Amino acid sequence: NILFICGGAFSGLEQIVERRLGKQTMGFGSPVTVQKERRTNDLLAQTATGDLLKFGLIPEFVGRLPVVATLQELDEESLIKVLTEPKNALTKQYKRLFEMDTVQLTFTDAALKAIAQCAVQRKTGARGLRAMLERAMLEIMYEIPSSKNIREVVISEEVITRKERPLVVYQEEPIQTVP
């Protein structure tokens, strides 16, 4: 019986939580604590409704959120799983698109890792995966329908990192002899 789920990227919320948690008492009787560097995930895990109010959400909205839960950032391994494992994974979608033109699409393991690394560096998470794949394959996707002798397209690490063209494997044309 879940009414709704509210989610998003609340950039800057971790700073509000850090300020709240970093408050120290002053005076001779106060304990001396060393402020240790906290990771963003650790800070967001301690988000309270007051932090959401300071962030700018209206009280009427925050009052309707009975549970506040935070999600961890996806690491490279998780992003690769997002790219490959679900039923409607991005790589499976593109492979199916290429199959419509009788072309086999192959992603190397290094290419998948490069896509995941790029998403981590840009801090786009799973949201940015489609844009990276589109950028890497846009040109070849327009070439395939007009070229009938392409058999396979291989997306390698260089296609992602250096913006090189994918490896295209052509099928041999049968030699026709004149009778």
Side-chain angles (χ1 to χ4, degrees):
N1 294 336
I2 297 174
L3 182 57
F4 63 91
I5 297 173
C6 168
F10 298 96
S11 180
L13 181 61
E14 67 276 0
Q15 294 161 351
I16 294 171
V17 175
E18 186 173 29
R19 270 188 256 130
R20 177 177 54 85
L21 294 176
K23 289 185 178 176
Q24 298 177 357
T25 56
M26 292 176 42
F28 292 111
S30 65
V32 177
T33 58
V34 177
Q35 183 178 2
K36 56 186 173 184
E37 188 174 315
R38 296 183 178 103
R39 290 189 43 219
T40 302
N41 290 338
D42 297 336
L43 289 170
L44 290 177
Q46 299 182 32
T47 301
T49 55
D51 299 327
L52 296 174
L53 292 172
K54 285 183 182 175
F55 184 72
L57 298 179
I58 60 174
E60 292 80 8
F61 180 68
V62 175
R64 290 183 176 17
L65 300 174
V67 177
V68 175
T70 58
L71 301 175
Q72 304 255 341
E73 289 182 25
L74 296 174
D75 59 353
E76 286 179 25
E77 183 180 327
S78 300
L79 288 168
I80 292 171
K81 286 181 180 180
V82 168
L83 279 170
T84 58
E85 290 184 6
K87 183 179 177 182
N88 63 344
L90 289 173
T91 55
K92 292 178 183 177
Q93 290 177 24
Y94 281 107
K95 286 180 182 184
R96 181 67 186 120
L97 283 173
F98 279 57
E99 284 174 6
M100 290 179 184
D101 290 316
T102 63
V103 175
Q104 180 182 352
L105 175 64
T106 306
F107 292 93
T108 64
D109 291 337
L112 295 173
K113 185 172 179 157
I115 294 168
Q117 287 173 344
C118 190
V120 169
Q121 289 171 352
R122 293 181 183 177
K123 298 187 185 241
T124 58
R127 294 184 311 268
L129 295 176
R130 181 177 296 277
M132 285 181 246
L133 285 172
E134 287 280 339
R135 182 190 50 76
M137 298 189 313
L138 184 66
E139 193 173 317
I140 195 70
M141 286 175 65
Y142 280 108
E143 291 176 18
I144 287 176
S146 62
S147 178
K148 299 298 180 194
N149 62 342
I150 296 177
R151 187 180 73 205
E152 181 180 8
V153 174
V154 179
I155 306 296
S156 64
E157 180 181 10
E158 291 77 22
V159 175
I160 305 302
T161 57
R162 297 187 205 150
K163 299 179 178 129
E164 292 182 6
R165 286 185 46 80
L167 174 66
V168 179
V169 179
Y170 294 93
Q171 63 188 20
E172 291 184 24
E173 295 291 328
I175 301 173
Q176 297 183 3
T177 57
V178 179

